[in-house]
Amino acid sequence: MKYPIGIQTFSNLREDGYVYVDKTALVHQMVTSGKVYFFSRPRRFGKSLLISTLESYFRGRKELFEGLAMEKLEKDWYEYPVFHIDFNGDNFAKEGVLEAKIEGFLRQAERMYGKDEDLLTMGDRFEEVLRRAGEKYGRRAVVLVDEYDKPILDVLDTPMEDKNRDTLKAFYSTFKSADRYLQFVLLTGVTKFSQVSVFSGFNQPKDISMDDRYQALCGITQEELEQYFADPIAVLAAQEGCTSDEMKLSLKAQYDGYHFSEGMVDIYNPFSILNAFDSLKLRDYWFATGTPTYLMRLLQHNHEQMNDLTGKYYDASLFADYKADVEQPLPMIYQSGYLTIKDYDRFTSSYLLDFPNNEVRRGFLSLIATGYFKTQPTQVMGWLAQAMRDLHLGKTSAFRDSLTAFLASIPYDSHPGLRSMDLMEKHFQYTFYLLVRLMGVYSRLLIEKAYSQGRVDCILETQDYVYIFEFKLDGTADDALRQIEEKGYAKPYADDKRCVKQIGVVFSSETRTVSDWKEKGEL
């Protein structure tokens, strides 16, 4: 079986015999149900392949759809003039690159269809090209824009953001004045910039990003996984010494979990799952391809605690539309694929957001931790590997020693903004939270869980142990243990068969590491 890793051209995929998960029924539904669409998905989710599929369809290349759903659904196979604008691959943070990209596209189109020398603006020139193309073919034009938002994402939170936005707005405004020359328009991207007026120059496209009908337009569903990839699943299972059903559960935990509407259809990340089948290894492929620079810039301005963002219900307006700024990164984190919908509450019309799967959770938290600690990823991951072994075996003394050493290694000037004692305490709580979330050895993690008499700082549950942590800044470990006892934080685990350890931890504001640690053994 040939896996289309890095193949984004539909004709190449079909002609060269790569496996193709048939999405053409959804494509046919889209092209016959509307005219101007916007579709958002995270990077490496198949948006470029979708654009290429549409291009082949509108060019009337019937032979490429042999054996697919489209072959039976489409009867006419007309050929339309197609304009494919791809903003991938260019660095729009450089002055003049966006203008040069659009100018190059227009010149190429004008060489093909002719040019009116009296027209000077990009909008007027593009409209004239669309008109001439329609006359030549006797059919209205199709415009496909891949990663329409990249020219803005490349300069997000920089002085060039307004300039690039205005340039795009002027270019996209053509779609309103040239409506009579257009058969179909699709814009794909990561974000929907409805709040910054990129779309204000033309009729609002129909946003199908959270439409139940198109939630599986990109990505791979569970049914498709089992239909197309039964053989590689069996091979992986044999290699790992487990059953095919057990391997399916492992693949689901690692790569599944994306939901793009209240319909809650499970969607696998296609890039990761195809790489896993090709290499016969379950690795973190999607995150390993890099983190978008725009997200890095936003996160550098914001140390929002991820436990305050994940596991909560939000109105769609708070994350689906573009409103992200340096103080509120939630929309960009969601739209980039690091958070996804995990539940829909029909009574409040709100969505539960959380990490989609283990691959994304580990990758994103390691990114946050590396930036927060101002250290190298290898240092963080090296410490985590040993910490995971220690807690799994109940070796709290070894864990304490390694935690103390790790905190002491963090540069003292990494967080100069910490001033008050309250902020310092929050800093240490958040530090511990990040490290514990990264370990991935727990079955359940509770941060500041509310009890009738107070809030416990942290409860970490593994298969064999329950760790109840109470943190103090410049206090005593005895005081921390006393609080666990007086507040009854351990009472819910009185009948638990696991070993329950109550641990009081004191951080020093002077040394910024562990200064006191005491624990009580099993209840």
Side-chain angles (χ1 to χ4, degrees):
M1 185 177 291
K2 295 176 65 176
Y3 301 102
I5 299 170
I7 307 298
Q8 300 177 344
T9 304
F10 182 70
S11 59
N12 289 350
L13 185 149
R14 295 291 290 164
E15 291 169 346
D16 295 342
Y18 289 95
V19 61
Y20 174 67
V21 177
D22 189 0
K23 303 289 185 178
T24 60
L26 290 175
V27 170
H28 185 267
Q29 178 178 327
M30 179 171 57
V31 300
T32 56
S33 301
K35 179 176 180 177
V36 183
Y37 291 98
F38 168 74
F39 184 64
S40 170
R41 283 295 181 268
R43 63 190 176 89
R44 298 190 179 276
F45 237 87
K47 299 189 297 296
S48 295
L49 179 59
L50 171 63
I51 289 285
S52 180
T53 304
L54 284 162
E55 182 174 8
S56 293
Y57 166 76
F58 279 112
R59 292 193 183 280
R61 300 198 61 183
K62 180 179 179 179
E63 74 280 4
L64 295 177
F65 294 86
E66 183 178 350
L68 302 179
M70 183 70 81
E71 182 182 28
K72 296 180 180 180
L73 292 170
E74 183 56 63
K75 306 301 181 184
D76 299 321
W77 293 101
Y78 296 131
E79 183 177 2
Y80 296 84
V82 178
F83 296 87
H84 181 178
I85 309 167
D86 187 358
F87 285 110
N88 279 300
D90 291 286
N91 181 6
F92 296 102
K94 295 181 179 179
E95 190 74 31
V97 171
L98 176 57
E99 291 79 4
K101 179 76 172 181
I102 295 175
E103 179 63 25
F105 164 76
L106 289 174
R107 287 184 179 181
Q108 184 179 37
E110 288 167 342
R111 284 195 294 269
M112 183 176 296
Y113 297 108
K115 177 180 180 180
D116 187 333
E117 297 293 343
D118 293 331
L119 300 179
L120 301 178
T121 68
M122 66 176 67
D124 288 342
R125 291 168 61 192
F126 190 22
E127 181 177 351
E128 176 64 10
V129 165
L130 294 172
R131 185 190 69 80
R132 289 171 179 254
E135 286 185 350
K136 179 177 179 179
Y137 277 80
R139 302 192 185 282
R140 290 175 294 186
V142 171
V143 179
L144 306 172
V145 184
D146 198 3
E147 303 293 357
Y148 89 102
D149 51 353
K150 189 175 185 296
I152 297 180
L153 294 177
D154 280 358
V155 295
L156 198 66
D157 195 33
T158 74
M160 286 184 62
E161 181 180 349
D162 289 341
K163 181 180 178 182
N164 282 11
R165 184 195 309 130
D166 291 342
T167 299
L168 286 179
K169 179 181 175 181
F171 181 63
Y172 293 141
S173 66
T174 306
F175 299 141
K176 182 175 183 178
S177 59
D179 180 70
R180 61 190 180 279
Y181 306 130
L182 294 170
Q183 174 70 24
F184 183 86
V185 176
L186 174 65
L187 299 95
T188 71
V190 173
T191 58
K192 180 184 177 184
F193 285 94
S194 59
Q195 302 301 319
V196 289
S197 302
V198 172
F199 288 155
S200 64
F202 70 102
N203 295 330
Q204 288 288 320
K206 180 174 178 58
D207 184 1
I208 58 172
S209 305
M210 295 180 66
D211 190 316
D212 273 346
R213 294 170 296 177
Y214 301 107
Q215 55 188 317
L217 185 58
C218 288
I220 298 173
T221 66
Q222 185 68 39
E223 181 180 356
E224 290 167 339
L225 181 79
E226 297 181 16
Q227 175 185 349
Y228 289 91
F229 302 105
D231 289 343
I233 290 173
V235 172
L236 266 174
Q239 179 175 289
E240 296 297 322
C242 63
T243 67
S244 290
D245 286 342
E246 290 172 333
M247 178 52 61
K248 290 175 188 176
L249 292 176
S250 296
L251 291 169
K252 178 177 284 290
Q254 181 74 356
Y255 305 122
D256 192 15
Y258 289 93
H259 304 105
F260 297 108
S261 80
E262 53 264 34
M264 300 296 293
V265 170
D266 284 341
I267 305 293
Y268 285 80
N269 182 319
F271 180 81
S272 291
I273 199 76
L274 292 174
N275 270 280
F277 290 147
D278 185 58
S279 64
L280 294 179
K281 291 182 174 63
L282 273 64
R283 298 286 188 267
D284 295 345
Y285 299 103
W286 182 75
F287 191 83
T289 61
T291 302
T293 56
Y294 60 82
L295 186 58
M296 292 289 291
R297 287 197 296 271
L298 279 180
L299 293 175
Q300 286 172 359
H301 288 279
N302 190 289
H303 292 314
E304 186 79 50
Q305 296 192 26
M306 288 305 298
N307 53 308
D308 289 337
L309 290 177
T310 59
K312 289 188 175 183
Y313 284 85
Y314 297 90
D315 186 88
S317 63
L318 297 177
F319 65 89
D321 291 343
Y322 172 71
K323 292 182 181 177
D325 55 37
V326 295
E327 300 300 328
Q328 297 179 331
L330 177 65
M332 197 64 70
I333 296 172
Y334 165 78
Q335 294 164 8
S336 299
Y338 294 95
L339 294 178
T340 194
I341 298 167
K342 285 299 184 180
D343 187 31
Y344 176 66
D345 186 331
R346 296 189 180 276
F347 180 73
T348 61
S349 298
S350 58
Y351 300 83
L352 175 67
L353 298 186
D354 212 331
F355 298 115
N357 50 49
N358 289 340
E359 176 186 32
V360 175
R361 175 179 56 82
R362 275 194 302 270
F364 188 71
L365 289 174
S366 66
L367 169 68
I368 295 292
T370 299
Y372 194 75
F373 299 143
K374 306 295 183 184
T375 188
Q376 295 297 317
T378 53
Q379 184 177 359
V380 176
M381 300 311 292
W383 178 84
L384 283 171
Q386 183 59 50
M388 288 167 63
R389 288 191 288 271
D390 291 340
L391 286 182
H392 183 71
L393 297 173
K395 296 181 178 180
T396 50
S397 296
F399 175 71
R400 175 201 62 207
D401 294 342
S402 65
L403 175 64
T404 302
F406 178 79
L407 293 176
S409 70
I410 298 174
Y412 272 55
D413 60 350
S414 61
H415 303 293
L418 293 172
R419 292 289 184 266
S420 69
M421 294 293 283
D422 181 62
L423 285 176
M424 184 72 74
E425 187 169 11
K426 289 292 185 183
H427 161 62
F428 283 117
Q429 289 176 350
Y430 184 41
T431 296
F432 192 76
Y433 160 80
L434 280 177
L435 295 176
V436 170
R437 286 295 297 265
L438 273 167
M439 290 175 204
V441 298
Y442 52 83
S443 58
R444 194 179 184 206
L445 175 68
L446 304 173
I447 302 292
E448 293 191 342
K449 177 177 172 58
Y451 282 76
S452 59
Q453 300 185 60
R455 288 179 178 271
V456 62
D457 283 338
C458 176
I459 296 179
L460 174 66
E461 300 180 8
T462 69
Q463 182 177 348
D464 299 316
Y465 294 89
V466 176
Y467 300 100
I468 303 174
F469 290 95
E470 185 64 30
F471 306 117
K472 294 294 180 183
L473 184 65
D474 295 331
T476 69
D478 287 328
D479 288 339
L481 284 176
R482 190 177 302 113
Q483 182 170 333
I484 295 175
E485 181 69 27
E486 293 176 351
K487 301 295 185 180
Y489 296 152
K491 288 182 179 179
Y493 299 95
D495 296 326
D496 201 298
K497 295 181 179 180
R498 292 171 293 184
C499 177
V500 179
K501 291 178 178 271
Q502 304 170 56
I503 304 174
V505 183
V506 177
F507 296 111
S508 168
S509 61
E510 181 178 353
T511 63
R512 296 195 178 189
T513 189
V514 176
S515 61
D516 195 9
W517 175 297
K518 285 189 177 181
E519 60 186 80
K520 289 180 64 176
E522 186 171 2
L523 293 178

